[in-house]
Amino acid sequence: MKKAVMVAALAALGCAWTALAEGRSCALNVEPRTVEYPWMSIARWHAMNDALKARAAQGDVDVLFLGDSITEMWDGQAWDSHFGKYRAANFGIGGDHTGNVLWRLQHDGMERLRPKVVVLLIGVNNLGLCNERPEQVADGVKAVVAQLRALYPEAKILLNAILPNGQLAGDERRSRTQAVNRAIAMLDDGRHVIFRDDGARFLEPDGAIASTTMADFLHLTPKAYATWGDALVPEIDRLLGR
C-alpha cells in the first residue's frame, strides 16, 4: 500500500484513538505484529520486516531511523534532500508499538549494524492503538533505549518526543503525549542519549494542528517532513562530529 493510501485509510477511520484502542498490553510485550489492521495486514508487516532484515544484513548504515509509521512514511523528496548525504536507513514500520520494536531489535539481525546515530521516535501507537497509560508507554520507550544502548554502545541515540496529535490544543491525547514526553526526557544523559522535542514546530499559534501539517492530525504531510528534516539535520551533523 502506498503511503498516500495509508494516510487516506487512517483518515477514513478518523484516526480516533477511542475507536482503534485495543486495550492491550504492548509496552514491554516483546512480539511481532499480531493484529490485523485495515491499513496494515500481519502479512504485510512480516514482508516489511523481512525487507528490513535483509537491509540490516547489508550493513553500511551510519544513521539509523527507527520507529512507527511517522518514521516509515518520510516523504521521499524530504528524505533525499536532508539525509541523502548520510549512509541513512529507514527502519520504521506503520503501527508498531514499543514491544514490536523490541522484538525487531532482538530478532532481525540488527546486531550486524553499527550505526553512529539512531534517530528514534516511538510510543504514539502504545497510546492510540493499545490505550496504555503514559507511565506504561514511558517504560516501553525506556526499554527500547536500553536495548539500543546494549546493541550499539558507541552510538548516539537521538530520542524524539512523541509529536503532537489531535487537532486542538485541548485534545485529551495531547496531555497523555506530554506526560510520556516529560518522563522520557529524563533519559537524556548528554552523552549517549539526547532527547529532542520538535513538537512546537508543528503547531499553530493557538496550539492547533493545521491540516497542511498533518492531514489526519497525526501523520506529517510532505511540507511538515521538510520542516522536521530542517530541524534534524544540524543535530545529526553535530552527533556525527561534522
Side-chain angles (χ1 to χ4, degrees):
M1 183 184 296
K2 294 182 179 179
K3 294 178 181 179
V5 177
M6 181 185 287
V7 173
L10 288 170
L13 289 170
C15 286
W17 286 16
T18 53
L20 291 176
E22 303 158 8
R24 303 174 63 240
S25 175
C26 301
L28 300 176
N29 187 12
V30 181
E31 63 177 6
R33 182 62 52 81
T34 60
V35 179
E36 293 275 355
Y37 296 115
W39 37 268
M40 171 71 83
S41 67
I42 293 175
R44 180 172 178 265
W45 186 92
H46 280 285
M48 294 181 67
N49 188 61
D50 287 345
L52 294 179
K53 184 176 180 178
R55 179 65 185 90
Q58 295 174 12
D60 295 326
V61 174
D62 287 337
V63 182
L64 173 65
F65 284 74
L66 182 65
D68 49 44
S69 61
I70 297 173
T71 296
E72 178 202 336
M73 294 168 63
W74 261 97
D75 175 69
Q77 182 176 347
W79 176 272
D80 291 341
S81 63
H82 290 89
F83 312 127
K85 64 181 180 178
Y86 310 124
R87 295 194 302 174
N90 188 332
F91 276 66
I93 296 184
D96 267 11
H97 53 68
T98 55
N100 297 146
V101 171
L102 287 168
W103 190 90
R104 290 203 277 134
L105 289 173
Q106 294 175 18
H107 291 83
D108 288 344
M110 296 291 283
E111 72 279 357
R112 299 179 184 178
L113 295 173
R114 290 294 181 267
K116 298 176 181 177
V117 174
V118 179
V119 182
L120 175 65
L121 173 61
I122 195 66
V124 71
N125 291 320
N126 291 72
L127 292 167
L129 298 181
C130 303
N131 198 29
E132 291 189 307
R133 300 186 306 277
E135 57 269 26
Q136 292 175 294
V137 183
D139 284 344
V141 177
K142 291 173 184 177
V144 172
V145 170
Q147 183 72 62
L148 287 169
R149 289 285 297 121
L151 277 175
Y152 314 125
E154 303 303 318
K156 306 293 186 183
I157 300 170
L158 185 55
L159 172 60
N160 287 272
I162 299 174
L163 299 180
N165 49 92
Q167 182 178 9
L168 302 178
D171 193 300
E172 177 267 344
R173 71 193 87 177
R174 295 283 191 96
S175 60
R176 296 174 68 198
T177 296
Q178 290 164 1
V180 176
N181 289 339
R182 285 193 297 270
I184 64 175
M186 302 300 291
L187 296 174
D188 188 326
D189 62 10
R191 296 180 59 225
H192 301 290
V193 181
I194 294 85
F195 177 77
R196 183 177 183 87
D197 188 348
D198 286 312
R201 296 175 183 270
F202 306 108
L203 301 178
E204 299 300 298
D206 64 355
I209 296 174
S211 60
T212 53
T213 299
M214 301 179 188
D216 59 1
F217 309 113
L218 174 63
H219 295 90
L220 302 179
T221 62
K223 172 186 173 183
Y225 274 117
T227 297
W228 195 22
D230 289 344
L232 287 175
V233 164
E235 185 71 359
I236 294 173
D237 280 345
R238 184 181 73 83
L239 295 177
L240 289 173
R242 296 190 174 189

